[in-house]
Amino acid sequence: MSDHSDQHGGDEGFGYAVEEARPKLKKPPLYRVVLLNDDYTPMEFVVQVLQSIFGMDRSTATRIMLEVHTKGKGICGVYTFEIAETKVAQVVGLAEQHQHPLLCTMEET
């Protein structure tokens, strides 16, 4: 029993620090969720959408709504693909429910 290398198939575990190589994890691409301006959707509805779907407080939601109104579009948030896709679908669904033509898209950052 004095020869450990024969019983264990080599020098494994005897004074060597063995660390498995960790795979380099690539961060998933992120997507901006963007609201687009139109001439028909009420500003108050846009504020409500930003509060309910994106969890913004009223002042932040109002600021983003004014950006959409004055610049033609505004960024609601940045998310992974699945979350961004879900947020877009929620906005479009809510707008359709209330018969507003509000458009929401996503674009890769």
Side-chain angles (χ1 to χ4, degrees):
M1 283 221 160
S2 62
D3 189 8
H4 293 290
S5 62
D6 289 341
Q7 291 177 349
H8 299 289
D11 290 333
E12 293 175 343
F14 294 96
Y16 297 104
V18 179
E19 185 177 328
E20 289 185 36
R22 293 184 182 175
K24 298 273 185 193
L25 295 178
K26 185 178 168 190
K27 289 192 176 189
L30 295 176
Y31 294 82
R32 284 186 285 269
V33 175
V34 181
L35 280 182
L36 303 175
N37 188 42
D38 65 71
D39 295 331
Y40 305 100
T41 304
M43 292 180 181
E44 184 56 35
F45 179 76
V46 175
V47 170
Q48 289 172 355
V49 163
L50 291 166
Q51 288 181 285
S52 64
I53 296 176
F54 297 95
M56 295 180 186
D57 59 50
R58 186 155 184 85
S59 63
T60 303
T62 301
R63 183 178 53 78
I64 300 293
M65 176 275 297
L66 288 172
E67 193 174 300
V68 172
H69 182 68
T70 58
K71 296 181 179 175
K73 68 179 186 175
I75 298 170
C76 307
V78 179
Y79 307 94
T80 58
F81 180 83
E82 290 82 7
I83 295 173
E85 191 176 47
T86 300
K87 298 277 187 192
V88 169
Q90 289 174 325
V91 171
V92 170
L94 198 56
E96 286 176 356
Q97 227 176 26
H98 290 86
Q99 298 179 335
H100 296 305
L102 182 62
L103 291 178
C104 186
T105 62
M106 55 191 262
E107 51 191 42
E108 195 168 348
T109 59

